[in-house]
Amino acid sequence: MPPSVILEHVVLPVIPGRESEFLAAFAQARPLIEASPGFLGLDLRRGIERTNEFLLLVRWESVEAHTDGFRGSPAYERWRELLHHFYDPFPEVVHFEC
């Protein structure tokens, strides 16, 4: 039986000096992911030792809700336009059972 909740874990390495700009763009992007079917919630936390790194934790009903649903949607294209240019290097996304 699959777990009832999946946790997406990703450390976002934002280009130093662009943190405020990233946070403003994330505020614009957040409603895009929140409206996605299977989305259950998210937390974004800023690093203490490396203040340009952010921990993004997203709760999904299933891995497919994230990978096929959100990533396959027009909303993801806009998410990508708003956020992906802030990362160096590009982050790795990992899913965990809750």
Side-chain angles (χ1 to χ4, degrees), residues 5 8 10 18 26 37 39-40 53-54 60 62 67 80 84 88 91 98:
V5 176
E8 171 192 353
V10 58
R18 300 195 68 194
F26 191 87
F39 171 87
L40 299 174
E53 289 186 352
F54 294 81
W60 295 99
S62 66
T67 58
R80 192 169 54 91
H84 284 194
D88 186 28
C98 288

Side-chain angles (χ1 to χ4, degrees), residues 57-74:
L57 300 171
V58 184
R59 292 171 300 285
W60 295 99
E61 289 179 355
S62 66
V63 172
E64 295 76 22
H66 175 221
T67 58
D68 299 336
F70 180 58
R71 283 192 179 170
S73 72

Side-chain angles (χ1 to χ4, degrees), residues 8 12-13 18-19 34 43 45 50 52 66 78 80 83 86 88 90 94 98:
E8 171 192 353
L12 304 173
R18 300 195 68 194
E19 297 90 348
E34 290 177 334
D43 293 304
R45 306 290 178 180
R50 291 185 292 265
N52 68 303
H66 175 221
R78 180 66 180 140
R80 192 169 54 91
L83 299 175
F86 288 106
D88 186 28
F90 197 78
V94 182
C98 288

Side-chain angles (χ1 to χ4, degrees), residues 12-15 18 21-30 32-33 44 56 70 76-88 90-91:
L12 304 173
V14 173
I15 297 166
R18 300 195 68 194
E21 193 180 347
F22 164 75
L23 287 169
F26 191 87
Q28 291 180 27
R30 187 176 185 137
L32 299 169
I33 195 170
L44 180 69
L56 176 63
F70 180 58
Y76 181 74
E77 291 303 313
R78 180 66 180 140
W79 171 276
R80 192 169 54 91
E81 290 171 8
L82 287 167
L83 299 175
H84 284 194
H85 62 280
F86 288 106
Y87 309 137
D88 186 28
F90 197 78

